[in-house]
């Protein structure tokens, strides 16, 4: 028997997908923090982090938490925290002593530099217990990038849940293997990458695609558009229903508070179903504020969604006030036009059915104008839906108020002849025009003044620059890692065995929170 | 070798397909519709569009408002309240309930003559024809001449549905409360001789109401026979088939009845009562002078603080005297113009100070 003879060495390179570093840079520009939760060993994880720009050489410091027991871990975490925060009168410490019932949210703390944190699975098992959780979270949230290596799938889910519970943020977990499934299910948004590792991650996720760099499009194009559309949809829907319903409130003062409706019952039935559903559907499907090229170029556009700027309590109140104002206009202008008044041939104009007809037509014109002002992306379909719905209203009107239908069911369709007798009145069209202008002018004025006095973000300036051609993209210089960093690591360290046998990775039943 | 791995080649995210089989392409179509690249118009509110809009609205609305206001001011109208609640009023004697059919006379003077067609209205105040229970208390099938509904009126008419064990025709609270004062107009000539002013009672209701919506029950027999198993409404003096000897204005198609059945939207309203047609271009329809109004006071309104009045009015293309739209248009036009000026000033001041240069990255 002689000495062993080295025959050779094998190496497996796990290549990064295309576009990963650029994606991470873009995510950072949009103020999205990127944490890496991996089962790989520390060296591999750190090298990958440098390769895809989560860590870079200009960072002020990289902290490594490697303690094997609670005290050491706590000491390491507290030491790292000190440079960036105050420890006296700490809300965390007071929370830990009093344990209030209401859910506690850690406030945002700003570090005094860019730092990175590396923590491995064993230390994490200690750090995820009891009091240390909050220390871990505060330290980690102040770092620009966090690497957790040697993690079990359960720990990945636990880290995500920790962030969800104590911070007012939205979490997205993206992974490609079966060991990422628990993390994907724990996060607010789970994204599975379909690829070499099978279908498990995809089947458990909310979104699935095949390339990591598609995450950019998911967030900055589709996510952003979806947020804008939802907010516009919600505020318009509340507005049109407030304007519709509050007219009855004003009418009550003039109808003896007897709950008499202003509109024809068929109009009430069809209003939300037929007359105003298609335009808002078109708005929700097709509306874009900037097109996809600009969305990807300016990740800063993503910020309003992060801060919930487009639909919150304040916006709802604005919607309500706008609805109240519109309902006042919609009721009092027709009322003034027909009050104690008659037609051009001397006959009746101030009857209930004519008044009803004038108010309902004014209402539809006003809400159609409102959605026309809110739509910023007019495709052919938007035109058809918006103007077509208004035209459809007039067609249905003639049908519902026609002789044939009203004579067949006189007690159900009672508005015989109202369309013919009212639609040729100058008072009707003059009052509709006045209502439309009165409702439209404040909106136009507000939309014009808002970017001047209360600019929300870069978006207001973008709109003016959209007229000009896009400036050429500045190629973001990728910081190539220095030559001593490589994506190779030696597999000479111990594996998971000790961690698993310690029992700290078993899921314990959390006590029921009353 | 992984070195040449190119993700774009892979069309299916799942396990590799068997060689020779067709790869299921899950990539969505690259059409403009599905990729949200439809050609679109993207308007932006700039100063160049908003400010001219304000000015144009101002410039259009103000002349329209002035036109409407002038038209309304040229209409001549006189209102005579004859409720009789003041002790000095000639109709005060009609308020006591024991007088069944009371006739009172009110004198008035027309300062200016009324030209063209003159319309005579009766107006009521504080009368809620738009109350929910009142509005639904009618049976349109019965009013359309349906025989089934004639003898079996709809339940909405309760409690004015049956009386003396017979169905009421026309049923409902609206018909029951029909206005039944009679107004006659007399011109006092220079020699104190009074001439009645000819009042036309047909042509006061909407054409669609008179000819389509309201129909008498069909049949060849006289109208009284067609209504034989019905009772008159409780508060009426005469049954519906005796409203007018003229058969074209009798029964459900009586125009006064039709006008009343078209319920008003607001508690103060006026309804067309009679037409005074123009005589010729040389003589005014109602010359200036003294007149008196003969009222057969049947309709009690003082119990709910209602008021009754008679209105004589000329008409223009805009209808009666209603300055509201004119004033509103002038007001909104001026406000719009002012706002345009204000926005112009604000725009000038703030745009110059804010940065509208290209976005720097």
């Amino acid at each position: 028997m002689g000495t062993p003879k080295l025959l050779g060495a094998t190496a497996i390179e796990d290549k990064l997908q295309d576009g990963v570093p650029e994606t991470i840079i873009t995510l950072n520009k949009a103020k999205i923090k990127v944490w890496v939760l991996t089962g790989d060993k520390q060296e591999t994880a750190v090298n990958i982090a440098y390769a895809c720009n989560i860590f870079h050489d200009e960072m002020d410091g990289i902290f490594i938490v490697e303690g094997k027991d609670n005290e050491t871990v706590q000491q390491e975490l507290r030491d790292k925290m000190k440079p960036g925060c105050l420890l006296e009168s700490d809300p965390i410490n007071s929370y830990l002593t009093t344990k209030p019932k209401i859910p506690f949210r850690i406030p945002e703390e700003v570090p005094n530099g860019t730092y990175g944190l590396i923590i491995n699975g064993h230390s994490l098992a200690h750090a995820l217990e009891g009091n240390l959780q909050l220390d871990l979270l505060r330290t980690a949230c102040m770092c620009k990038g966090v690497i957790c290596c040697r993690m079990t799938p359960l720990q990945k889910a636990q880290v995500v849940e920790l962030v969800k519970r104590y911070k007012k943020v939205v979490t997205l977990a993206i992974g490609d293997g079966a060991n990422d499934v628990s993390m994907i299910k724990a996060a607010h948004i789970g994204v599975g990458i379909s690829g070499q590792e099978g279908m498990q991650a995809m089947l458990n996720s909310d979104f699935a695609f095949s390339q990591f760099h598609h995450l950019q499009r998911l967030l900055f194009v589709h996510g952003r558009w979806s947020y804008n559309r939802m907010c516009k949809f919600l505020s318009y829907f509340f507005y049109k229903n407030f304007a519709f319903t509050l007219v009855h409130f004003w009418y009550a003062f003039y109808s003896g508070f007897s709950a008499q409706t202003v509109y024809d019952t068929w109009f009430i039935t069809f209003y939300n179903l037929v007359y105003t559903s298609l335009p808002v559907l078109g708005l929700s499907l097709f509306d874009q504020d900037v097109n996809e090229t600009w969305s990807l170029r300016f990740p800063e556009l993503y910020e309003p969604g992060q801060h919930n700027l487009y639909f919150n309590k304040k916006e709802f109140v604005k919607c309500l006030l706008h609805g109240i104002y519109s309902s006042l206009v919609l009721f009092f202008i027709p009322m003034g036009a027909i009050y104690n008044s008659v037609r051009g041939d001397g006959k009746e104009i101030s009857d209930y059915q004519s008044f009803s007809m004038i108010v309902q037509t004014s209402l539809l014109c006003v809400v159609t104008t409102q959605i026309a002002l809110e739509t910023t992306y007019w495709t052919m379909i938007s035109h058809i839906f918006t103007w077509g719905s208004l035209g459809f209203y007039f067609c249905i009107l003639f049908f519902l108020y026609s002789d044939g239908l009203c004579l067949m069911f006189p007690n159900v369709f009672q508005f015989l002849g109202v369309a013919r007798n009212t639609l040729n009145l100058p008072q009707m069209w003059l009052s509709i025009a006045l209502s439309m202008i009165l409702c439209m002018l404040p909106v136009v004025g507000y939309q014009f003044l808002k970017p001047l006095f209360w600019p929300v973000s870069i978006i207001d300036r973008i709109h003016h620059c959209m007229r000009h051609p896009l400036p050429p993209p500045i190629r973001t210089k990728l910081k190539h890692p220095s030559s001593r960093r490589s994506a190779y690591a030696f597999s000479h360290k111990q594996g998971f065995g000790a961690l698993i046998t310690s029992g700290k990775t078993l899921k314990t039943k959390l006590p029921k929170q009353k | 070798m992984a070195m040449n791995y190119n993700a774009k080649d892979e069309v299916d995210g799942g396990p590799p397909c068997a060689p020779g089989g067709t790869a299921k392409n899950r990539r969505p179509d690259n059409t403009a519709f599905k990729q949200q690249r439809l050609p679109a118009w993207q308007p932006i509110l700039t100063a160049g569009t908003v400010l001219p809009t304000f000015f144009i609205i101002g410039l259009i609305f103000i002349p329209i408002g002035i036109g409407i206001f002038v038209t309304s001011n040229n209409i001549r109208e006189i209102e005579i309240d004859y409720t009789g609640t003041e002790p000095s009023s000639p109709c005060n004697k009609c308020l006591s309930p024991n007088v069944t059919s009371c006739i009172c006379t009110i004198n008035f003077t027309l300062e200016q003559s009324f030209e063209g067609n003159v319309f005579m209205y009766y107006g009521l105040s504080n009368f809620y024809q738009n109350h929910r229970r009142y509005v639904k208390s009618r049976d349109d099938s019965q009013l359309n001449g349906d025989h089934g509904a004639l003898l079996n009126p709809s339940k909405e008419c309760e409690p004015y549905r049956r009386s003396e064990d017979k169905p009421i025709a026309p049923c409902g609270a609206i018909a029951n409360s029909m206005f039944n004062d009679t107004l006659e107009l007399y011109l006092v000539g220079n020699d104190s001789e009074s001439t009645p002013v000819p009042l036309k009672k047909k042509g006061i209701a909407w054409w669609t109401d008179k000819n389509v919506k309201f129909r008498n029950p069909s049949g060849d027999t006289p109208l009284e026979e067609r209504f034989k198993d019905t009772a008159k409404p409780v508060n009426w003096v005469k049954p519906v088939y005796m409203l007018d000897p003229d058969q074209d204005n009798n029964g459900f198609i009586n125009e006064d009845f039709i006008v009343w059945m078209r319920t008003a939207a607001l508690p103060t309203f006026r309804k067309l009562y009679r037409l005074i047609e123009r005589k010729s271009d040389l003589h005014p329809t109602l010359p200036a002078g003294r007149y008196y109004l003969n009222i057969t006071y049947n309709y009690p309104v003082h119990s709910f603080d209602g008021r009754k009045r008679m209105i004589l009015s000329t008409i223009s293309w805009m209808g009666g005297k209603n300055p509201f739209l004119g004033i509103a248009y002038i007001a909104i036009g001026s406000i719009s113009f002012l706002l345009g000026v204000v926005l112009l000033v604000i725009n000038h001041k703030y745009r110059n100070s804010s940065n509208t240069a290209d976005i720097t990255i």
Side-chain angles (χ1 to χ4, degrees):
Chain A
M1 276 299 201
T3 52
K5 192 168 143 194
L6 182 64
L7 291 177
T10 60
I12 299 175
E13 183 192 353
D14 207 352
K15 195 172 189 299
L16 271 186
Q17 285 183 347
D18 293 332
V20 173
E22 288 87 1
T23 309
I24 306 275
I25 292 176
T26 327
L27 290 176
N28 281 330
K29 269 200 208 162
K31 305 211 173 83
I32 297 177
K33 291 228 177 97
V34 182
W35 294 15
V36 177
L37 310 175
T38 174
D40 291 339
K41 53 169 55 66
Q42 183 171 318
E43 259 189 15
T44 321
V46 170
N47 285 324
I48 298 279
Y50 276 104
C52 59
N53 254 78
I54 297 178
F55 285 172
H56 43 83
D57 290 326
E58 284 87 21
M59 285 171 90
D60 294 320
I62 307 274
F63 306 126
I64 305 183
V65 174
E66 291 174 308
K68 296 276 187 293
D69 52 70
N70 280 15
E71 287 74 25
T72 326
V73 171
Q74 179 167 38
Q75 192 56 41
E76 284 175 320
L77 285 175
R78 288 268 167 94
D79 276 340
K80 313 298 188 276
M81 257 206 310
K82 255 223 217 125
C85 74
L86 312 88
L87 278 175
E88 303 83 34
S89 75
D90 221 14
I92 309 284
N93 289 332
S94 59
Y95 167 69
L96 289 174
T97 48
T98 60
K99 283 259 193 310
K101 295 279 183 197
I102 48 168
F104 178 76
R105 296 267 190 257
I106 296 185
E108 282 292 323
E109 290 166 314
V110 179
N112 61 358
T114 48
Y115 299 99
L117 178 69
I118 303 176
I119 183 166
N120 65 17
H122 202 141
S123 315
L124 201 63
H126 295 289
L128 284 174
E129 284 171 5
N131 297 354
L132 296 184
Q133 274 183 344
L134 295 172
D135 289 322
L136 167 69
L137 192 57
R138 290 175 78 196
T139 314
C141 287
M142 281 198 281
C143 297
K144 183 166 178 281
V146 172
I147 310 278
C148 305
C149 43
R150 279 290 185 220
M151 293 183 78
T152 61
L154 177 65
Q155 284 178 324
K156 290 186 188 179
Q158 283 177 329
V159 167
V160 173
E161 275 161 16
L162 176 69
V163 176
K164 268 173 70 169
R165 200 180 319 139
Y166 289 112
K167 284 206 77 99
K168 195 165 159 283
V169 290
V170 176
T171 53
L172 182 150
I174 177 166
D176 63 351
N179 58 347
D180 297 320
V181 167
S182 49
M183 159 177 91
I184 287 175
K185 283 162 69 159
H188 287 116
I189 310 166
V191 177
I193 296 201
S194 63
Q196 310 295 76
E197 297 207 26
M199 302 275 283
Q200 280 308 308
M202 270 178 62
L203 291 173
N204 283 297
S205 59
D206 300 315
F207 300 98
F209 36 77
S210 61
Q211 295 283 301
F212 182 82
H213 70 85
H214 290 166
L215 189 64
Q216 258 187 318
R217 283 186 67 89
L218 178 72
L219 293 178
F220 300 135
V221 178
H222 297 288
R224 211 173 58 77
W225 280 350
S226 184
Y227 177 69
N228 283 337
R229 289 166 183 167
M230 279 297 275
C231 294
K232 276 195 189 172
F233 162 80
L234 282 172
S235 65
Y236 175 73
F237 217 90
F238 278 119
Y239 163 73
K240 81 170 154 94
N241 279 300
F242 281 133
F244 170 73
T245 313
L246 288 174
V247 178
H248 291 115
F249 181 71
W250 309 122
Y251 191 51
F253 290 98
Y254 295 89
S255 69
F257 296 98
S258 62
Q260 172 63 25
T261 55
V262 173
Y263 317 109
D264 178 18
T265 35
W266 290 103
F267 180 79
I268 296 177
T269 311
F270 287 151
Y271 177 68
N272 272 319
L273 196 64
V274 174
Y275 300 146
T276 53
S277 61
L278 281 181
V280 77
L281 189 72
L283 177 82
S284 314
L285 289 179
F286 298 115
D287 202 56
Q288 297 173 13
D289 49 352
V290 291
N291 70 5
E292 53 181 70
T293 325
W294 286 75
S295 306
L296 289 171
R297 180 70 59 76
F298 299 106
E300 298 85 355
L301 288 170
Y302 197 67
E303 255 193 86
Q306 292 176 321
H307 300 299
N308 220 12
L309 281 180
Y310 289 160
F311 196 75
N312 46 32
K313 288 196 200 82
K314 208 168 83 148
E315 292 294 319
F316 178 76
V317 168
K318 275 195 226 166
C319 210
L320 173 63
L321 291 175
H322 188 206
I324 292 177
Y325 168 74
S326 295
S327 69
L328 277 169
V329 166
L330 283 169
F331 177 68
F332 284 103
I333 301 282
M335 180 183 128
I338 61 142
Y339 181 72
N340 224 5
S341 188
V342 292
R343 287 156 53 119
D345 53 7
K347 297 185 189 167
E348 186 101 45
I349 194 183
S350 61
D351 61 299
Y352 168 73
Q353 292 183 341
S354 302
F355 178 65
S356 171
M357 167 100 189
I358 297 179
V359 176
Q360 67 195 32
T361 313
S362 306
L363 169 72
L364 270 186
C365 290
V366 162
V367 296
T368 306
T369 317
Q370 177 63 23
I371 201 167
L373 285 174
E374 290 207 6
T375 308
T376 52
Y377 194 77
W378 284 92
T379 57
M380 185 47 81
I381 302 178
S382 312
H383 281 292
I384 294 176
F385 279 176
T386 309
W387 313 122
S389 289
L390 196 59
F392 191 52
Y393 161 70
F394 284 106
C395 294
I396 294 197
L397 201 70
F398 282 116
F399 172 64
L400 283 178
Y401 298 175
S402 61
D403 291 354
L405 196 63
C406 294
L407 289 177
M408 272 200 279
F409 305 102
N411 278 325
V412 178
F413 299 99
Q414 296 177 326
F415 277 55
L416 202 159
V418 181
R420 267 169 289 173
N421 282 308
T422 320
L423 285 180
N424 55 2
L425 290 176
Q427 288 99 322
M428 161 141 170
W429 297 107
L430 286 171
S431 90
I432 289 180
L434 187 63
S435 313
M436 273 172 62
I437 296 294
L438 262 182
C439 288
M440 189 188 89
L441 282 185
V443 176
V444 169
Y446 178 73
Q447 279 186 355
F448 177 71
L449 287 178
K450 193 161 176 285
L452 286 182
F453 289 128
W454 307 281
V456 164
S457 68
I458 198 173
I459 191 135
D460 294 316
R461 287 160 57 218
I462 276 192
H463 272 143
H464 288 272
C465 297
M466 264 167 69
R467 296 273 165 109
H468 310 288
L470 211 55
I474 293 180
R475 286 255 149 251
T476 39
K477 271 173 39 194
L478 272 183
K479 312 267 187 309
H480 291 290
S482 47
S483 55
R484 70 182 171 89
R485 300 220 178 270
S486 67
Y488 297 102
F490 284 109
S491 65
H492 61 273
K493 280 205 178 146
Q494 267 186 329
F496 279 111
L499 175 60
I500 292 173
T501 50
S502 72
K504 286 197 184 299
T505 55
L506 289 175
K507 198 164 198 163
T508 52
K509 275 207 162 67
L510 290 169
K512 272 228 170 88
Q513 312 239 324
K514 286 276 165 49
Chain B
M1 188 65 169
M3 219 64 89
N4 294 326
Y5 172 72
N6 190 353
K8 291 185 187 58
D9 288 337
E10 185 184 45
V11 293
D12 188 358
C17 49
T22 48
K24 194 172 119 202
N25 191 345
R26 296 220 303 257
R27 180 181 278 182
D29 304 330
N30 194 10
T31 59
F33 179 71
K34 287 201 177 169
Q35 296 298 324
Q36 302 197 53
R37 284 193 309 259
L38 287 170
W41 169 53
Q42 287 185 280
I44 300 175
L45 283 179
T46 57
T49 42
V50 170
L51 294 173
T53 310
F54 277 81
F55 288 123
I56 289 175
I57 290 174
L59 288 175
I60 293 181
F61 272 31
I62 295 181
I64 293 180
I66 293 176
I68 298 174
F69 188 69
V70 166
T71 313
S72 171
N73 265 357
N74 284 342
I75 289 173
R76 308 232 169 78
E77 185 185 83
I78 181 167
E79 264 190 41
I80 295 162
D81 186 313
Y82 67 90
T83 320
T85 43
E86 311 84 34
S88 58
S89 165
C91 292
N92 199 19
K93 59 181 168 74
C94 299
L95 290 186
S96 47
N98 52 4
V99 185
T100 47
S101 187
C102 162
I103 298 187
C104 58
T105 308
I106 295 195
N107 296 314
F108 64 94
T109 316
L110 282 185
E111 310 288 333
Q112 296 170 309
S113 63
F114 282 28
E115 323 247 341
N117 284 333
V118 178
F119 295 78
M120 185 176 183
Y121 299 90
Y122 61 89
L124 291 170
S125 298
N126 210 31
F127 191 104
Y128 284 82
Q129 261 200 330
N130 56 6
H131 194 284
R132 187 176 56 88
R133 297 286 304 276
Y134 184 92
V135 168
K136 66 177 189 157
S137 179
R138 64 193 286 156
D139 186 352
D140 285 303
S141 328
Q142 192 189 66
L143 296 171
N144 199 19
D146 184 50
H147 285 277
L150 185 68
L151 298 171
N152 188 18
S154 123
K155 297 240 178 344
E156 302 283 341
C157 285
E158 290 288 354
Y160 301 100
R161 190 166 167 259
R162 294 181 75 85
S163 123
E164 300 156 10
D165 214 25
K166 282 197 264 186
I168 298 180
C171 77
I174 309 179
N176 189 46
S177 58
M178 180 168 144
F179 186 78
N180 51 8
D181 279 359
T182 316
L183 307 169
E184 282 154 12
L185 195 59
Y186 292 89
L187 167 66
V188 178
N190 285 338
D191 43 359
S192 295
E193 200 190 273
S194 54
T195 42
V197 176
L199 300 173
K200 186 162 163 274
K201 63 167 78 169
K202 287 171 70 169
I204 55 176
W206 286 8
W207 187 94
T208 47
D209 278 354
K210 167 105 182 185
N211 296 83
V212 184
K213 189 167 180 179
F214 288 77
R215 292 216 176 107
N216 280 325
S218 56
D220 299 324
T221 53
L223 205 56
E224 186 167 346
E225 291 243 350
R226 294 182 241 163
F227 282 99
K228 70 173 161 31
D229 284 319
T230 63
K232 68 171 178 57
V234 176
N235 284 6
W236 284 23
V237 173
K238 293 185 281 188
V240 69
Y241 47 84
M242 285 168 55
L243 285 175
D244 193 344
D246 180 358
Q247 285 310 304
D248 195 32
N249 202 26
N250 200 7
F252 289 147
I253 56 175
N254 176 275
E255 297 214 17
D256 285 316
F257 175 67
I258 293 176
V259 166
W260 181 256
M261 290 301 285
R262 185 149 280 285
T263 51
L266 298 166
T268 305
F269 57 89
R270 60 175 68 169
K271 288 191 182 287
L272 186 54
Y273 183 66
R274 295 287 183 262
L275 301 172
I276 305 173
E277 286 189 313
R278 51 194 283 236
K279 290 190 265 212
S280 68
D281 282 334
L282 297 173
H283 302 282
T285 318
L286 288 181
R290 286 185 300 138
Y291 289 81
Y292 69 89
L293 183 69
N294 243 7
I295 303 159
T296 313
Y297 197 112
N298 293 324
Y299 200 68
V301 295
H302 58 275
S303 58
F304 52 84
D305 289 330
R307 307 207 59 86
K308 290 193 290 186
R309 54 191 187 282
M310 191 275 300
I311 302 138
L312 284 168
S313 167
T314 55
I315 291 291
S316 70
W317 60 274
M318 272 283 296
K321 197 181 190 69
N322 192 358
F324 172 79
L325 272 182
I327 296 175
Y329 265 78
I330 294 175
I332 301 301
S334 329
I335 291 177
S336 170
F337 199 83
L338 266 166
L339 278 179
V341 171
V342 167
L343 285 181
L344 187 67
V345 167
I346 292 180
N347 182 54
H348 192 72
K349 262 179 62 179
Y350 275 84
R351 286 260 183 236
N352 284 345
S353 57
S354 83
N355 180 13
T356 49
D358 284 325
I359 297 175
T360 51
I361 303 165

